[in-house]
Amino acid sequence: MRDTRRTLIAAIAAIGALTSVAACGGGSDSSASGSGKAGGTYNFWDPYPQFDASSAWGKLVSKCGTDAGVKVKRTGMDTTDLGNKALLAAQQGNAPDVMLVDNPVVSTLVEAGILNKTSDLGLDTKPIQKNILGAGEIDGASYGVPIGANTLALYYNKKVLTAAHVDPASIKDWASLTAALKKVKSAGKKGITFSAINTEEGSFQFLPWFWGAGGDLTKLNSDKGVAALSLWKDWVGSGYAPKDVLQNTQTTSWQEFATGEYAFGENGTWQLGNADKAGFDYGVISIPGQNGGSAPVPTGGEFVTVPVQKDTSRYDVSKKIVTCLTNSANLLATDNTLTYVAPTSAVQAEQVKSNPKLEPWVKAVAAARGRTSGGLGTKYPTISQPMWTAVQAALSGGKSPKDALDTAQTAAGKGN
Protein backbone atom coordinates (compact mmCIF):
# COMPACT_ATOMS: atom_id res chain seq x y z
CA MET A 1 0.00 0.00 0.00
CA ARG A 2 2.87 2.33 0.82
CA ASP A 3 4.47 1.67 -2.60
CA THR A 4 1.16 2.33 -4.34
CA ARG A 5 0.77 5.60 -2.51
CA ARG A 6 4.32 6.61 -3.43
CA THR A 7 3.64 5.78 -7.08
CA LEU A 8 0.48 7.87 -7.05
CA ILE A 9 2.25 10.83 -5.48
CA ALA A 10 5.00 10.62 -8.10
CA ALA A 11 2.39 10.35 -10.84
CA ILE A 12 0.56 13.44 -9.58
CA ALA A 13 3.83 15.37 -9.71
CA ALA A 14 4.41 14.18 -13.28
CA ILE A 15 0.95 15.22 -14.41
CA GLY A 16 1.47 18.63 -12.81
CA ALA A 17 4.40 19.11 -15.21
CA LEU A 18 2.34 18.18 -18.25
CA THR A 19 -0.02 21.08 -18.84
CA SER A 20 -2.41 21.00 -21.79
CA VAL A 21 -0.91 22.34 -24.98
CA ALA A 22 -4.05 22.59 -27.05
CA ALA A 23 -6.37 25.55 -27.04
CA CYS A 24 -8.71 24.17 -24.41
CA GLY A 25 -9.35 26.50 -21.51
CA GLY A 26 -11.77 27.00 -18.66
CA GLY A 27 -12.21 26.00 -15.08
CA SER A 28 -12.92 22.68 -13.43
CA ASP A 29 -15.74 20.79 -11.84
CA SER A 30 -14.86 19.48 -8.43
CA SER A 31 -17.56 16.82 -8.35
CA ALA A 32 -16.16 13.32 -8.05
CA SER A 33 -17.54 10.14 -9.53
CA GLY A 34 -19.92 7.86 -7.70
CA SER A 35 -19.84 4.09 -7.78
CA GLY A 36 -23.02 3.66 -9.83
CA LYS A 37 -24.38 0.30 -11.01
CA ALA A 38 -24.82 -1.35 -14.38
CA GLY A 39 -27.96 0.02 -15.99
CA GLY A 40 -27.76 3.12 -13.79
CA THR A 41 -25.34 6.05 -13.94
CA TYR A 42 -21.89 5.95 -15.47
CA ASN A 43 -19.35 8.66 -14.77
CA PHE A 44 -17.43 10.29 -17.60
CA TRP A 45 -14.63 12.85 -17.26
CA ASP A 46 -13.16 14.93 -20.08
CA PRO A 47 -10.86 17.98 -20.49
CA TYR A 48 -13.48 20.08 -22.28
CA PRO A 49 -15.04 22.38 -19.66
CA GLN A 50 -15.84 24.83 -22.47
CA PHE A 51 -18.52 22.47 -23.78
CA ASP A 52 -21.76 22.28 -21.77
CA ALA A 53 -24.57 19.74 -21.99
CA SER A 54 -26.22 21.64 -24.86
CA SER A 55 -23.09 21.49 -27.06
CA ALA A 56 -22.65 18.95 -29.84
CA TRP A 57 -20.02 17.19 -27.71
CA GLY A 58 -22.21 17.16 -24.61
CA LYS A 59 -25.13 15.75 -26.58
CA LEU A 60 -22.96 13.01 -28.11
CA VAL A 61 -21.70 11.85 -24.71
CA SER A 62 -25.26 11.74 -23.41
CA LYS A 63 -26.49 9.88 -26.51
CA CYS A 64 -23.72 7.27 -26.21
CA GLY A 65 -24.92 6.58 -22.66
CA THR A 66 -28.52 6.31 -23.76
CA ASP A 67 -27.57 3.93 -26.58
CA ALA A 68 -25.76 1.78 -24.00
CA GLY A 69 -28.84 1.77 -21.76
CA VAL A 70 -27.43 3.99 -19.02
CA LYS A 71 -27.26 7.62 -17.98
CA VAL A 72 -23.88 9.32 -18.31
CA LYS A 73 -22.87 11.89 -15.75
CA ARG A 74 -20.31 14.03 -17.55
CA THR A 75 -17.75 16.23 -15.75
CA GLY A 76 -15.50 18.60 -17.71
CA MET A 77 -12.34 20.01 -16.16
CA ASP A 78 -8.97 21.28 -17.32
CA THR A 79 -6.32 18.74 -18.28
CA THR A 80 -4.03 19.00 -15.27
CA ASP A 81 -6.93 18.98 -12.82
CA LEU A 82 -8.42 15.93 -14.51
CA GLY A 83 -5.20 13.93 -14.28
CA ASN A 84 -4.64 14.76 -10.63
CA LYS A 85 -8.24 13.97 -9.68
CA ALA A 86 -8.13 10.71 -11.61
CA LEU A 87 -5.15 9.55 -9.56
CA LEU A 88 -6.77 10.56 -6.29
CA ALA A 89 -10.09 8.97 -7.24
CA ALA A 90 -8.31 5.72 -8.11
CA GLN A 91 -6.56 5.76 -4.75
CA GLN A 92 -9.95 6.16 -3.08
CA GLY A 93 -11.56 3.45 -5.21
CA ASN A 94 -14.03 5.69 -7.06
CA ALA A 95 -12.46 6.37 -10.46
CA PRO A 96 -14.83 7.39 -13.27
CA ASP A 97 -16.02 4.67 -15.63
CA VAL A 98 -14.72 6.37 -18.77
CA MET A 99 -12.15 9.13 -18.98
CA LEU A 100 -10.76 11.25 -21.82
CA VAL A 101 -7.14 12.23 -21.08
CA ASP A 102 -4.34 14.15 -22.81
CA ASN A 103 -2.08 11.63 -24.55
CA PRO A 104 1.16 12.24 -22.56
CA VAL A 105 -0.76 11.59 -19.35
CA VAL A 106 -1.70 8.04 -20.40
CA SER A 107 1.70 6.57 -19.48
CA THR A 108 1.60 8.24 -16.07
CA LEU A 109 -1.83 6.77 -15.33
CA VAL A 110 -0.69 3.35 -16.56
CA GLU A 111 2.33 3.41 -14.26
CA ALA A 112 -0.04 4.20 -11.41
CA GLY A 113 -1.98 1.06 -12.36
CA ILE A 114 -5.35 2.66 -12.99
CA LEU A 115 -6.04 2.06 -16.72
CA ASN A 116 -7.22 -1.08 -18.51
CA LYS A 117 -5.58 -2.37 -21.68
CA THR A 118 -7.77 -1.96 -24.75
CA SER A 119 -7.07 -5.62 -25.64
CA ASP A 120 -8.45 -6.77 -22.28
CA LEU A 121 -11.62 -4.81 -22.98
CA GLY A 122 -11.94 -6.11 -26.53
CA LEU A 123 -11.72 -2.64 -28.08
CA ASP A 124 -10.72 -2.54 -31.74
CA THR A 125 -7.79 -0.22 -32.51
CA LYS A 126 -6.75 -1.73 -35.88
CA PRO A 127 -8.08 1.15 -38.08
CA ILE A 128 -6.15 3.79 -36.12
CA GLN A 129 -2.93 5.29 -37.48
CA LYS A 130 -0.02 3.65 -35.67
CA ASN A 131 1.79 6.87 -34.85
CA ILE A 132 -1.34 8.33 -33.24
CA LEU A 133 -2.07 5.14 -31.33
CA GLY A 134 1.57 5.01 -30.25
CA ALA A 135 1.12 7.99 -27.94
CA GLY A 136 -1.02 5.75 -25.73
CA GLU A 137 1.07 2.59 -25.93
CA ILE A 138 3.32 1.33 -23.17
CA ASP A 139 5.50 -1.76 -23.63
CA GLY A 140 3.60 -2.66 -26.78
CA ALA A 141 0.15 -2.52 -25.16
CA SER A 142 -2.50 0.11 -25.90
CA TYR A 143 -4.38 1.73 -23.05
CA GLY A 144 -6.93 3.87 -24.82
CA VAL A 145 -8.54 4.84 -28.10
CA PRO A 146 -7.58 8.26 -29.55
CA ILE A 147 -10.48 10.60 -30.17
CA GLY A 148 -8.40 12.62 -32.62
CA ALA A 149 -5.11 14.41 -32.97
CA ASN A 150 -3.77 17.88 -33.43
CA THR A 151 -0.28 19.10 -34.06
CA LEU A 152 1.87 21.99 -35.24
CA ALA A 153 2.69 23.60 -38.58
CA LEU A 154 3.64 27.05 -39.86
CA TYR A 155 0.87 29.50 -40.69
CA TYR A 156 2.02 32.19 -43.10
CA ASN A 157 0.66 35.61 -44.09
CA LYS A 158 0.41 35.72 -47.88
CA LYS A 159 0.51 39.53 -48.09
CA VAL A 160 3.67 39.80 -45.97
CA LEU A 161 5.47 37.13 -47.99
CA THR A 162 4.42 38.66 -51.33
CA ALA A 163 5.73 42.07 -50.26
CA ALA A 164 9.06 40.45 -49.31
CA HIS A 165 9.17 38.50 -52.60
CA VAL A 166 9.12 35.17 -50.81
CA ASP A 167 7.43 32.14 -52.35
CA PRO A 168 6.27 29.82 -49.52
CA ALA A 169 6.90 26.85 -51.84
CA SER A 170 10.60 27.74 -51.78
CA ILE A 171 10.85 26.97 -48.06
CA LYS A 172 12.26 23.47 -47.93
CA ASP A 173 14.70 23.49 -45.01
CA TRP A 174 16.12 25.70 -42.24
CA ALA A 175 18.42 27.62 -44.57
CA SER A 176 15.60 28.63 -46.94
CA LEU A 177 13.33 29.52 -44.03
CA THR A 178 16.00 31.72 -42.43
CA ALA A 179 16.65 33.37 -45.80
CA ALA A 180 12.93 34.11 -46.05
CA LEU A 181 12.93 35.66 -42.58
CA LYS A 182 15.84 37.89 -43.59
CA LYS A 183 13.92 39.13 -46.64
CA VAL A 184 10.81 39.78 -44.55
CA LYS A 185 12.78 41.84 -42.03
CA SER A 186 14.44 43.81 -44.83
CA ALA A 187 10.97 44.57 -46.20
CA GLY A 188 10.02 46.15 -42.87
CA LYS A 189 7.87 43.37 -41.52
CA LYS A 190 8.31 40.84 -38.70
CA GLY A 191 9.55 37.29 -39.16
CA ILE A 192 8.26 34.43 -37.05
CA THR A 193 6.54 34.04 -33.72
CA PHE A 194 6.31 30.94 -31.55
CA SER A 195 6.03 29.90 -27.91
CA ALA A 196 9.20 29.28 -25.91
CA ILE A 197 7.56 29.67 -22.51
CA ASN A 198 8.86 27.68 -19.53
CA THR A 199 6.03 25.13 -19.56
CA GLU A 200 5.13 22.07 -21.63
CA GLU A 201 3.91 24.44 -24.34
CA GLY A 202 7.52 25.57 -24.83
CA SER A 203 8.74 21.98 -25.19
CA PHE A 204 5.83 21.14 -27.50
CA GLN A 205 6.82 23.98 -29.85
CA PHE A 206 10.54 23.26 -29.70
CA LEU A 207 10.22 19.55 -30.49
CA PRO A 208 9.66 19.92 -34.27
CA TRP A 209 12.98 21.75 -34.55
CA PHE A 210 14.72 19.36 -32.16
CA TRP A 211 13.39 16.29 -33.97
CA GLY A 212 13.82 18.03 -37.32
CA ALA A 213 17.56 18.14 -36.63
CA GLY A 214 17.51 14.44 -35.77
CA GLY A 215 17.59 15.03 -32.02
CA ASP A 216 17.01 12.25 -29.49
CA LEU A 217 15.21 13.10 -26.24
CA THR A 218 17.51 10.80 -24.30
CA LYS A 219 20.50 12.89 -25.51
CA LEU A 220 19.40 16.50 -25.19
CA ASN A 221 22.93 17.89 -25.54
CA SER A 222 23.88 16.11 -28.76
CA ASP A 223 25.14 18.25 -31.66
CA LYS A 224 21.70 17.85 -33.22
CA GLY A 225 19.92 19.23 -30.17
CA VAL A 226 22.40 22.10 -29.98
CA ALA A 227 21.77 22.91 -33.65
CA ALA A 228 18.02 23.25 -33.01
CA LEU A 229 18.43 25.52 -30.01
CA SER A 230 21.06 27.57 -31.85
CA LEU A 231 18.57 28.12 -34.67
CA TRP A 232 16.02 29.64 -32.30
CA LYS A 233 18.69 31.68 -30.52
CA ASP A 234 20.00 33.06 -33.81
CA TRP A 235 16.49 34.04 -34.88
CA VAL A 236 15.90 35.98 -31.68
CA GLY A 237 19.37 37.53 -31.83
CA SER A 238 18.88 38.62 -35.44
CA GLY A 239 15.46 40.08 -34.75
CA TYR A 240 13.69 37.51 -36.92
CA ALA A 241 11.71 36.37 -33.86
CA PRO A 242 10.62 38.62 -30.98
CA LYS A 243 12.22 38.39 -27.56
CA ASP A 244 8.80 37.93 -26.00
CA VAL A 245 8.72 34.33 -27.28
CA LEU A 246 10.13 33.61 -23.81
CA GLN A 247 6.77 34.59 -22.31
CA ASN A 248 4.55 33.60 -25.22
CA THR A 249 1.97 30.89 -24.75
CA GLN A 250 0.56 29.40 -27.92
CA THR A 251 -2.40 31.72 -27.47
CA THR A 252 -0.37 34.94 -27.16
CA SER A 253 1.90 33.80 -29.98
CA TRP A 254 -1.19 33.40 -32.15
CA GLN A 255 -2.37 36.87 -31.15
CA GLU A 256 0.94 38.27 -32.42
CA PHE A 257 0.57 36.49 -35.74
CA ALA A 258 -3.05 37.68 -35.99
CA THR A 259 -1.88 41.32 -35.98
CA GLY A 260 -0.91 40.81 -39.62
CA GLU A 261 2.66 41.98 -39.00
CA TYR A 262 4.33 38.57 -38.97
CA ALA A 263 5.26 36.37 -41.90
CA PHE A 264 5.03 33.11 -39.96
CA GLY A 265 3.44 31.76 -36.82
CA GLU A 266 4.12 28.30 -35.43
CA ASN A 267 0.82 27.07 -34.11
CA GLY A 268 -1.72 24.30 -34.12
CA THR A 269 -4.73 22.84 -35.85
CA TRP A 270 -6.93 24.41 -33.19
CA GLN A 271 -6.25 27.90 -34.57
CA LEU A 272 -7.92 27.24 -37.93
CA GLY A 273 -11.14 28.92 -36.86
CA ASN A 274 -9.22 31.97 -35.65
CA ALA A 275 -7.19 32.01 -38.87
CA ASP A 276 -10.38 32.39 -40.88
CA LYS A 277 -11.30 35.38 -38.72
CA ALA A 278 -7.89 37.06 -38.88
CA GLY A 279 -8.79 39.32 -41.79
CA PHE A 280 -5.91 38.41 -44.11
CA ASP A 281 -5.10 35.62 -46.54
CA TYR A 282 -3.05 32.86 -44.98
CA GLY A 283 -1.58 29.50 -45.87
CA VAL A 284 -0.09 26.56 -44.00
CA ILE A 285 3.15 24.69 -44.62
CA SER A 286 4.84 21.89 -42.72
CA ILE A 287 7.64 22.78 -40.36
CA PRO A 288 10.79 21.96 -42.35
CA GLY A 289 13.51 19.63 -41.17
CA GLN A 290 17.05 20.97 -40.91
CA ASN A 291 18.08 19.45 -44.23
CA GLY A 292 14.70 19.22 -45.90
CA GLY A 293 11.46 17.30 -45.68
CA SER A 294 8.78 17.69 -43.04
CA ALA A 295 10.02 17.70 -39.47
CA PRO A 296 8.38 15.23 -37.08
CA VAL A 297 5.90 17.15 -34.97
CA PRO A 298 4.47 16.19 -31.58
CA THR A 299 1.05 14.60 -31.43
CA GLY A 300 -1.55 16.43 -29.39
CA GLY A 301 -5.01 15.13 -28.59
CA GLU A 302 -6.80 12.88 -26.16
CA PHE A 303 -7.44 9.18 -25.59
CA VAL A 304 -10.68 7.64 -24.37
CA THR A 305 -9.67 5.33 -21.52
CA VAL A 306 -11.40 2.94 -19.12
CA PRO A 307 -10.07 3.17 -15.54
CA VAL A 308 -9.80 0.05 -13.40
CA GLN A 309 -12.95 -0.68 -11.39
CA LYS A 310 -13.58 -3.02 -8.46
CA ASP A 311 -16.84 -4.02 -10.13
CA THR A 312 -15.55 -5.47 -13.42
CA SER A 313 -19.11 -6.07 -14.66
CA ARG A 314 -19.22 -2.34 -15.49
CA TYR A 315 -16.66 -2.75 -18.28
CA ASP A 316 -19.19 -4.04 -20.82
CA VAL A 317 -21.14 -0.79 -20.73
CA SER A 318 -17.97 1.31 -20.60
CA LYS A 319 -16.78 -0.47 -23.75
CA LYS A 320 -20.06 0.41 -25.49
CA ILE A 321 -19.63 4.07 -24.56
CA VAL A 322 -16.03 4.15 -25.84
CA THR A 323 -17.01 2.40 -29.06
CA CYS A 324 -19.85 4.86 -29.60
CA LEU A 325 -17.58 7.88 -29.09
CA THR A 326 -14.92 6.55 -31.47
CA ASN A 327 -16.91 5.01 -34.32
CA SER A 328 -16.44 6.61 -37.74
CA ALA A 329 -19.75 8.46 -37.89
CA ASN A 330 -19.29 10.11 -34.51
CA LEU A 331 -15.57 10.77 -34.98
CA LEU A 332 -16.27 12.90 -38.04
CA ALA A 333 -18.64 15.19 -36.16
CA THR A 334 -16.52 15.24 -33.00
CA ASP A 335 -13.19 15.94 -34.68
CA ASN A 336 -14.70 18.72 -36.77
CA THR A 337 -16.13 20.26 -33.58
CA LEU A 338 -12.78 20.02 -31.76
CA THR A 339 -10.74 20.95 -34.89
CA TYR A 340 -8.92 17.65 -34.58
CA VAL A 341 -7.59 15.45 -37.34
CA ALA A 342 -9.30 12.07 -37.07
CA PRO A 343 -7.14 9.08 -36.08
CA THR A 344 -8.28 6.93 -39.03
CA SER A 345 -7.57 7.44 -42.74
CA ALA A 346 -11.21 6.88 -43.69
CA VAL A 347 -12.49 9.72 -41.49
CA GLN A 348 -9.54 11.94 -42.47
CA ALA A 349 -10.60 11.61 -46.11
CA GLU A 350 -14.12 12.72 -45.20
CA GLN A 351 -12.73 15.68 -43.26
CA VAL A 352 -10.58 16.89 -46.15
CA LYS A 353 -13.52 16.44 -48.53
CA SER A 354 -15.67 18.73 -46.39
CA ASN A 355 -12.82 21.15 -45.55
CA PRO A 356 -9.83 21.18 -47.96
CA LYS A 357 -7.91 23.45 -45.55
CA LEU A 358 -7.35 20.39 -43.36
CA GLU A 359 -5.20 18.65 -45.98
CA PRO A 360 -1.83 20.04 -44.77
CA TRP A 361 -2.81 19.14 -41.22
CA VAL A 362 -3.59 15.55 -42.17
CA LYS A 363 -0.09 15.36 -43.66
CA ALA A 364 1.41 16.92 -40.53
CA VAL A 365 -0.36 14.42 -38.27
CA ALA A 366 0.89 11.58 -40.46
CA ALA A 367 4.46 12.71 -39.69
CA ALA A 368 3.78 13.27 -35.99
CA ARG A 369 5.04 11.24 -33.06
CA GLY A 370 3.93 10.92 -29.46
CA ARG A 371 5.97 12.72 -26.84
CA THR A 372 6.03 9.60 -24.67
CA SER A 373 6.61 7.19 -27.58
CA GLY A 374 9.76 5.19 -28.14
CA GLY A 375 9.66 3.74 -24.65
CA LEU A 376 9.94 7.11 -22.87
CA GLY A 377 6.60 6.83 -21.06
CA THR A 378 6.74 8.53 -17.68
CA LYS A 379 10.35 9.59 -18.28
CA TYR A 380 9.11 12.28 -20.65
CA PRO A 381 8.19 14.89 -17.98
CA THR A 382 11.65 14.54 -16.42
CA ILE A 383 13.16 15.32 -19.84
CA SER A 384 10.72 17.99 -20.98
CA GLN A 385 11.15 20.30 -18.00
CA PRO A 386 14.98 20.50 -18.28
CA MET A 387 14.54 20.99 -22.04
CA TRP A 388 12.21 23.97 -21.74
CA THR A 389 14.50 25.37 -19.03
CA ALA A 390 17.43 25.10 -21.46
CA VAL A 391 15.45 26.94 -24.15
CA GLN A 392 14.76 29.75 -21.70
CA ALA A 393 18.41 29.95 -20.61
CA ALA A 394 19.72 30.09 -24.19
CA LEU A 395 17.19 32.55 -25.61
CA SER A 396 17.55 34.91 -22.65
CA GLY A 397 21.32 34.93 -23.10
CA GLY A 398 21.99 33.29 -19.75
CA LYS A 399 23.86 30.35 -21.29
CA SER A 400 25.08 29.19 -24.68
CA PRO A 401 22.87 26.55 -26.34
CA LYS A 402 25.52 23.90 -25.62
CA ASP A 403 25.91 24.82 -21.95
CA ALA A 404 22.13 25.06 -21.49
CA LEU A 405 21.58 21.61 -22.96
CA ASP A 406 24.49 20.12 -21.02
CA THR A 407 22.76 21.28 -17.84
CA ALA A 408 19.45 19.92 -19.13
CA GLN A 409 20.92 16.51 -19.90
CA THR A 410 22.40 16.27 -16.40
CA ALA A 411 19.07 17.20 -14.84
CA ALA A 412 17.17 14.75 -17.06
CA GLY A 413 19.59 11.98 -16.10
CA LYS A 414 18.94 12.58 -12.40
CA GLY A 415 15.19 12.51 -13.05
CA ASN A 416 15.47 9.04 -14.55
Side-chain angles (χ1 to χ4, degrees), residues 130-256:
K130 290 184 178 180
N131 66 320
I132 299 177
L133 189 65
E137 287 183 335
I138 294 87
D139 296 329
S142 173
Y143 287 85
V145 182
I147 198 89
N150 55 34
T151 195
L152 297 166
L154 293 180
Y155 288 86
Y156 64 85
N157 184 316
K158 293 183 178 180
K159 183 177 180 181
V160 171
L161 290 189
T162 298
H165 304 291
V166 172
D167 179 358
S170 69
I171 297 168
K172 304 290 187 181
D173 51 23
W174 289 4
S176 54
L177 176 55
T178 300
L181 296 176
K182 184 177 181 180
K183 287 183 179 180
V184 168
K185 185 183 178 186
S186 297
K189 291 293 185 179
K190 298 176 181 179
I192 186 169
T193 180
F194 49 86
S195 169
I197 195 170
N198 58 336
T199 69
E200 178 60 22
E201 289 190 58
S203 291
F204 190 70
Q205 292 239 319
F206 181 60
L207 278 173
W209 311 97
F210 182 85
W211 283 334
D216 181 338
L217 285 173
T218 64
K219 301 172 184 176
L220 294 175
N221 58 342
S222 70
D223 290 345
K224 296 171 181 178
V226 173
L229 188 48
S230 296
L231 177 73
W232 270 19
K233 182 177 173 60
D234 290 346
W235 283 352
V236 173
S238 300
Y240 300 157
K243 292 181 179 178
D244 64 10
V245 295
L246 286 163
Q247 293 82 41
N248 267 350
T249 64
Q250 291 180 118
T251 298
T252 57
S253 173
W254 176 261
Q255 291 167 350
E256 284 185 332

Side-chain angles (χ1 to χ4, degrees), residues 60 63-64 67 319-327 330:
L60 174 60
K63 180 181 184 298
C64 286
D67 290 352
K319 176 186 173 181
K320 290 179 181 178
I321 294 171
V322 174
T323 301
C324 175
L325 291 170
T326 57
N327 67 40
N330 289 334

Side-chain angles (χ1 to χ4, degrees), residues 48 51 56-57 60 100 147-148 324-340 351:
Y48 308 142
F51 296 127
W57 171 249
L60 174 60
L100 200 58
I147 198 89
C324 175
L325 291 170
T326 57
N327 67 40
S328 293
N330 289 334
L331 272 179
L332 180 62
T334 296
D335 288 331
N336 287 343
T337 296
L338 300 173
T339 324
Y340 277 170
Q351 286 184 295

